[in-house]
Amino acid sequence: MNYSFKHAFLLVICALSLFSAKAQNKNPIDIEFTGMFWLITTYNFQSSDPNWAEMLRPTRILDDQGRPFADNGSFGISVRPSRVGFNTRQSTSKGDLVTRFELDLVGGGSNVGETFFRVFNAYAEWNRWTFGKRNSVFMDGSVVPNTVEFFGPNGMVLLRNIQISYKLVDSPKNQVQIGIENPSASSDLGPFREDFTFQEKLSDIVFTNKLPAFTFHYRRNFEKGHLQASWVSKYISWYDRGRTPDADFSGDAWGHGTNISGSINPTRYIRLLGSFVTGRGIQNFLNDGTADVGVRANPANLVTPVNGAPIPFYSVMAASEIRLTETLSSTVAFSRVVNDTFDSQLSTSFQSGSYLTVGLIHKPLPGISFGLEYQYANRQNANFVGAPDLELPAAQGNFFAVNKIQANFVYRFSKMN
């Protein structure tokens, strides 16, 4: 049985179990089945990673060697953003127990680029507690703009993360939430593993998660908008499995970051959104995350001639949503990520990337929408200063940009039992 059938089978079993529980429990369980059919057609005037062809990802504009993926011009049709799932609600003596389970078709891991089931949401909420996979506490889900493009701006925090979180304050005007989350981390060692003098040693390096990521946010709601301040800190460690007394590439570091986000509604027809994120070593929390840890050459140290360090960065996102008529709206979204890369990072390393979309969305009927959007993204790789002691020549990072036109059809549905 392949994984797609396993996920679908598990979904059916869960649903049947809930029906059985509803019939037997004194406190009945309300069940809502939800879904979204999302059809995308895209024309890319340049090229990008075919595994993410229908999504606008600046990190996927150039390959691992810093080159464009293909000749200019490509067309594609996809249904990968489509989702299906169910929600439940059950009354208890200490508040409602709410669960949500959703699958989409984006794929990932060994199934990247395929139309394949992936867990989108899987969590339970009860008595201010949250358990499972949902929006990170570090994230502000209410500033995600309503774009035709499914993936969204690269520089905003957008991560559905496995977590245990608790709302210390949960009122209409104020919210304070803390959490521990899956930390994860990524490195910029890939090119070094192929070209670097110490490639055999770097191939022995593995990342280890010794502590969870610690997250916090405070949110203040106003009559015409909101403001949220979020914070994250995580411990990053890497282990050299082939270490010896004469050569050891193991190391560790702390990553941390701040996310300031908010919205304002100057009129009933206009909504403005924005966020600013800064920190180091927490890029995996960004929507289109880059490497958290970069390589630093350290030739004076014979035991550790190369070490790692969390990469500093900042990112911005700004968007406007304007309702033009009762059925027609417009969204403009811009975002940019800038890494303060190290001199020793190769010219294949991501340094900065921008995202821009301008679109129209027509909603002729409840649950049905059509969208048309112009999309632009670029990527600039780092300039490598060279390391003569390590036999690495200087190299200039490439710049590449893509322009796309995308249209979609979306049908959202739900059914209460």
Side-chain angles (χ1 to χ4, degrees):
M1 183 184 294
N2 64 37
Y3 285 107
S4 61
F5 286 113
K6 285 182 179 179
H7 280 119
F9 179 74
L10 288 173
L11 181 63
V12 172
I13 292 298
C14 290
L16 291 176
S17 299
L18 290 170
F19 276 120
S20 176
K22 180 177 181 179
Q24 300 175 15
N25 203 302
K26 294 181 180 179
N27 295 328
I29 300 175
D30 295 324
I31 306 173
E32 179 186 23
F33 289 92
T34 64
M36 179 174 64
F37 174 74
W38 192 318
L39 176 71
I40 298 175
T41 62
T42 308
Y43 186 80
N44 188 342
F45 292 90
Q46 285 76 38
S47 67
S48 57
D49 188 341
N51 289 328
W52 304 93
E54 66 272 62
M55 302 173 200
L56 191 63
R57 299 190 61 182
T59 62
R60 302 296 179 175
I61 291 176
L62 296 172
D63 65 15
D64 290 340
Q65 301 301 315
R67 303 169 301 188
F69 280 88
D71 293 335
N72 289 344
S74 64
F75 174 79
I77 302 178
S78 173
V79 294
R80 292 172 71 195
S82 300
R83 298 202 297 266
V84 64
F86 60 85
N87 307 321
T88 71
R89 183 180 296 272
Q90 182 180 17
S91 298
T92 74
S93 60
K94 294 188 177 181
D96 289 351
L97 171 61
V98 177
T99 68
R100 187 175 186 183
F101 185 84
E102 280 185 294
L103 300 174
D104 66 14
L105 299 175
V106 172
S110 60
N111 305 112
V112 64
E114 299 181 20
T115 303
F116 203 87
F117 283 114
R118 178 189 70 163
V119 176
F120 189 82
N121 278 306
Y123 65 86
E125 291 182 324
W126 177 71
N127 196 25
R128 297 190 179 184
W129 287 93
T130 298
F131 308 91
K133 181 179 181 180
R134 67 157 304 163
N135 290 350
S136 168
V137 175
F138 187 55
M139 172 182 167
D140 183 355
S142 55
V143 299
V144 178
N146 185 27
T147 59
V148 173
E149 197 269 324
F150 163 73
F151 204 77
N154 63 327
M156 65 181 177
V157 175
L158 202 165
L159 178 66
R160 285 172 294 278
N161 207 8
I162 299 174
Q163 63 187 268
I164 300 173
S165 59
Y166 181 73
K167 293 178 181 177
L168 298 171
V169 178
D170 188 19
S171 68
K173 286 190 175 182
N174 296 283
Q175 185 184 88
V176 178
Q177 188 172 11
I178 58 174
I180 56 173
E181 304 187 15
N182 182 29
S184 70
S186 59
S187 71
D188 193 28
L189 298 179
F192 275 79
R193 285 177 172 154
E194 298 174 5
D195 305 327
F196 195 54
T197 305
F198 301 97
Q199 59 177 319
E200 294 182 2
K201 293 298 299 178
L202 291 175
S203 297
D204 287 332
I205 291 178
V206 294
F207 276 78
T208 57
N209 295 328
K210 296 184 177 181
L211 292 172
F214 302 97
T215 52
F216 164 88
H217 81 232
Y218 169 71
R219 179 187 177 103
R220 173 70 175 180
N221 293 317
F222 303 99
E223 182 180 354
K224 293 189 175 182
H226 82 282
L227 182 66
Q228 179 168 312
S230 308
W231 170 86
V232 63
S233 181
K234 69 177 186 178
Y235 178 70
I236 309 168
S237 62
W238 52 97
Y239 175 70
D240 182 0
R241 294 174 294 181
R243 64 180 180 171
T244 67
D246 298 325
D248 185 358
F249 292 82
S250 302
D252 58 19
W254 279 92
H256 56 83
T258 303
N259 176 22
I260 305 298
S261 57
S263 66
I264 186 170
N265 305 316
T267 75
R268 56 181 296 198
Y269 303 106
I270 299 175
R271 184 169 181 252
L272 304 178
L273 314 168
S275 69
F276 175 79
V277 189
T278 186
R280 60 180 63 219
I282 54 101
Q283 282 88 330
N284 69 299
F285 280 83
L286 296 180
N287 188 29
D288 189 19
T290 64
D292 298 315
V293 176
V295 171
R296 274 182 168 170
N298 189 25
N301 188 327
L302 299 179
V303 176
T304 309
V306 174
N307 55 26
I311 302 172
F313 80 98
Y314 73 86
S315 66
V316 296
M317 188 279 293
S320 66
E321 297 176 350
I322 302 175
R323 191 174 67 172
L324 303 173
T325 69
E326 289 299 318
T327 61
L328 185 66
S329 64
S330 171
T331 299
V332 178
F334 170 80
S335 186
R336 180 167 173 79
V337 177
V338 178
N339 280 345
D340 186 9
T341 51
F342 307 129
D343 290 342
S344 52
Q345 288 185 254
L346 297 183
S347 60
T348 52
S349 301
F350 176 97
Q351 184 177 60
S352 64
S354 299
Y355 170 109
L356 173 68
T357 61
V358 180
L360 291 171
I361 298 176
H362 176 52
K363 297 181 179 179
L365 295 170
I368 295 178
S369 67
F370 299 87
L372 180 65
E373 189 171 71
Y374 165 75
Q375 303 169 355
Y376 169 85
N378 65 45
R379 169 174 172 167
Q380 173 67 61
N381 280 355
N383 293 327
F384 178 52
V385 299
D389 293 341
L390 302 176
E391 302 177 0
L392 293 173
Q396 185 173 357
N398 287 336
F399 173 87
F400 196 67
V402 297
N403 295 269
K404 296 183 178 183
I405 295 292
Q406 188 172 93
N408 73 2
F409 167 74
V410 181
Y411 170 54
R412 296 175 174 84
F413 58 90
S414 63
K415 173 69 175 178
M416 290 290 296
N417 176 264

